[in-house]
Amino acid sequence: GICWDMGHYAYNTIKDGFPVETVPAPETLKRIRHTHIHGIYDMETHFPVADDEPIATYVNALKASGYEGIYNLELVPGRFMKDFPDVRDAIESSILRLKEMIHS
């Protein structure tokens, strides 16, 4: 299996000029066993998950592929506390957003 780092995947698709909604091929999605999920803010990674992130598209693609593994948030408060000073709220909001995406 492989790990899908959704935050870096989104970063790279944006950086390389591809549509951020681009998802891996179905045969790749079937091989995913682990995730790393984080948002992007001003082209920086490991930020809280925002409502306008492509993460929901990625989660839906994983769900459609039959993924039953863990959706692992990978947030680094030291990177985002300047822009999101209420670190606890940023983390809790990310958890709630991800939970909504998984259960929608």
Side-chain angles (χ1 to χ4, degrees):
I2 58 176
C3 174
W4 186 6
D5 190 319
M6 295 181 189
H8 287 284
Y9 181 87
Y11 173 89
N12 287 324
T13 55
I14 293 166
K15 187 173 118 294
D16 293 339
F18 295 107
V20 73
E21 301 83 18
T22 303
V23 296
E27 55 272 9
T28 301
L29 290 170
K30 291 276 187 198
R31 300 187 73 195
I32 294 172
R33 300 291 179 265
H34 185 76
T35 63
H36 287 176
I37 301 169
H38 51 85
I40 300 169
Y41 183 79
D42 287 340
M43 290 306 284
E44 293 287 330
T45 60
H46 299 93
F47 273 68
V49 176
D51 289 332
D52 60 346
E53 297 272 348
I55 301 300
T57 299
Y58 302 163
V59 168
N60 286 334
L62 267 184
K63 290 186 329 186
S65 76
Y67 182 74
E68 294 181 355
I70 294 172
Y71 293 86
N72 181 39
L73 277 172
E74 187 184 33
L75 307 178
V76 180
R79 286 193 177 193
F80 65 79
M81 60 194 300
K82 180 178 72 112
D83 296 301
F84 300 87
D86 189 340
V87 172
R88 180 182 177 142
D89 180 64
I91 292 170
E92 289 176 350
S93 295
S94 292
I95 292 168
L96 289 174
R97 284 186 184 104
L98 183 58
K99 183 177 178 181
E100 289 170 2
M101 292 173 198
I102 293 167
H103 297 291
S104 66

